[in-house]
Amino acid sequence: MKKIGSSSSVAMASKITCAEAVDYISRREEGKLTRGQRFRLWRHLAACSLCRIFSAQNKLLARFAAERPVADALTETDKDIIIQRVLGESQEGKTDSGSAP
């Protein structure tokens, strides 16, 4: 007979997926996690090396972003140029044998 509230059901309730961990990691940088979410993230990171790498990279990016002056932000023109380049590259990858779509 299984006891209600056994340690196995508590352990299952504290497990999160990698997708949830990515969300938690991003929200952690913004200070938007509850104590329970921080604990579940801590447990997940203890077991998942890929999410630990993502977490370290996210912390680094957040630090760099915080150090960068606002004046260095992209202009609307710069954003448009980047979007057009990305869209152009993604369209090139979809064409068959170099022909136009």
Side-chain angles (χ1 to χ4, degrees):
M1 180 188 291
K2 189 173 181 177
K3 296 186 326 185
I4 296 174
S6 69
S7 61
S8 63
S9 64
V10 172
M12 289 302 291
S14 67
K15 289 189 176 190
I16 60 173
T17 65
C18 289
E20 290 170 311
V22 166
D23 179 52
Y24 283 13
I25 289 165
S26 298
R27 291 194 294 147
R28 179 185 60 189
E29 295 302 322
E30 299 168 3
K32 296 181 178 178
L33 286 184
T34 66
R35 181 177 290 169
Q37 290 169 328
R38 284 193 311 265
F39 175 73
R40 288 189 290 280
L41 177 60
W42 174 80
R43 294 244 346 216
H44 183 85
L45 292 176
C48 183
S49 62
L50 293 177
C51 286
R52 283 194 305 273
I53 292 168
F54 176 80
S55 179
Q57 290 173 339
N58 197 61
K59 283 181 183 179
L60 187 63
L61 287 172
R63 190 182 80 208
F64 286 156
E67 293 172 355
R68 194 160 183 86
V70 176
D72 286 348
L74 292 174
T75 65
E76 290 302 316
T77 303
D78 292 336
K79 291 177 189 177
D80 289 340
I81 291 169
I82 291 169
I83 290 169
Q84 291 306 313
R85 286 182 183 169
V86 169
L87 291 176
E89 289 174 9
S90 67
Q91 291 301 319
E92 290 172 12
K94 292 181 182 179
T95 61
D96 295 333
S97 65
S99 62

